[in-house]
Amino acid sequence: MISANQVLEQPVVVFSQNYLPISRINVKRAIALLILGKAEALDFGQETELFVRSPNLVMAVPSYIRLTFTSTERIWKIPPVNRREVLRRDNYACQYCGNNKRLTIDHVIPLSKGGLHTWNNVVAACEQCNQYKSDRTPHQAGMLLHSKPKAPIHPTVAFAEKFWRSEHLPPDIGGNSISC
């Protein structure tokens, strides 16, 4: 049996008014939004097994809610290219060997060869790989990048992409159809 605290910590996916998945919150916050009229529960055909009870209210625990108010989106700018942001983007791992010790940043195409200090040309690299690569391109040094460098994307867009890849929804509402 699930305890009350476990129920209140269950994740609930929040959709914007336009049905864009924007974040996950816990049931406690979702119920507050529902009671205040700032959100509505979405039913994607799943059976609700959990309920929250109070002296004068019994509410099914939703898995998905949609905000009913228009919020002005905060302006999000692409962060500047700096060591902290590059390491965060690359998950604090060398993009050549995967090491996570003594990390530096490396220009894929060296500045001396016409490379630019941009998101598409800078990666995290451990000191050893950076010294081995030296003033060469990865191809010249015989090294492969684990991932292609690119600018970070808006956190909400990243969440939406991850959500649509991972959720198991019916095909008629955006889920993947499984064919045998």
Side-chain angles (χ1 to χ4, degrees):
M1 185 166 168
I2 297 176
S3 73
N5 283 338
Q6 289 173 321
V7 170
L8 294 177
E9 294 304 318
Q10 293 290 318
V12 175
V13 177
V14 179
F15 287 83
S16 69
Q17 261 190 325
N18 306 354
Y19 293 93
L20 173 70
I22 55 176
S23 67
R24 281 189 204 276
I25 59 174
N26 63 30
V27 169
K28 193 185 308 184
R29 178 73 179 129
I31 289 173
L33 290 170
L34 291 167
I35 290 173
L36 292 171
K38 294 183 177 185
E40 64 185 9
L42 294 176
D43 178 19
F44 287 145
Q46 287 101 342
E47 292 287 324
T48 302
E49 301 169 2
L50 303 173
F51 294 89
V52 174
R53 292 168 170 64
S54 75
N56 51 359
L57 178 69
V58 175
M59 181 181 285
V61 173
S63 296
Y64 308 97
I65 63 172
R66 182 178 80 94
L67 298 177
T68 56
F69 64 95
T70 307
S71 65
T72 55
E73 286 287 324
R74 288 183 294 187
I75 295 173
W76 186 83
K77 297 181 216 165
I78 295 175
V81 180
N82 61 40
R83 184 180 194 288
R84 183 184 68 208
E85 296 296 336
V86 170
L87 293 178
R88 182 182 305 167
R89 179 201 63 191
D90 293 343
N91 294 319
Y92 301 94
C94 174
Q95 293 302 292
Y96 298 110
C97 70
N99 186 7
N100 60 2
K101 305 281 190 250
R102 302 184 65 128
L103 294 174
T104 63
I105 60 171
D106 175 54
H107 292 87
V108 178
I109 300 171
L111 296 174
S112 64
K113 305 260 193 283
L116 302 173
H117 188 70
T118 62
W119 281 107
N120 298 336
N121 192 44
V122 177
V123 295
C126 65
E127 283 183 355
Q128 189 175 1
C129 288
N130 204 348
Q131 287 175 357
Y132 176 77
K133 181 180 162 286
S134 186
D135 197 26
R136 302 178 286 179
T137 65
H139 180 71
Q140 292 169 336
M143 301 170 81
L144 294 175
L145 282 168
H146 285 298
S147 62
K148 184 178 178 185
K150 61 181 181 179
I153 59 175
H154 192 289
T156 301
V157 174
F159 177 82
E161 287 179 356
K162 184 178 177 185
F163 172 81
W164 291 119
R165 280 194 304 269
S166 67
E167 284 297 309
H168 304 289
L169 300 172
D172 58 331
I173 57 168
N176 297 326
S177 60
I178 300 171
S179 56
C180 297

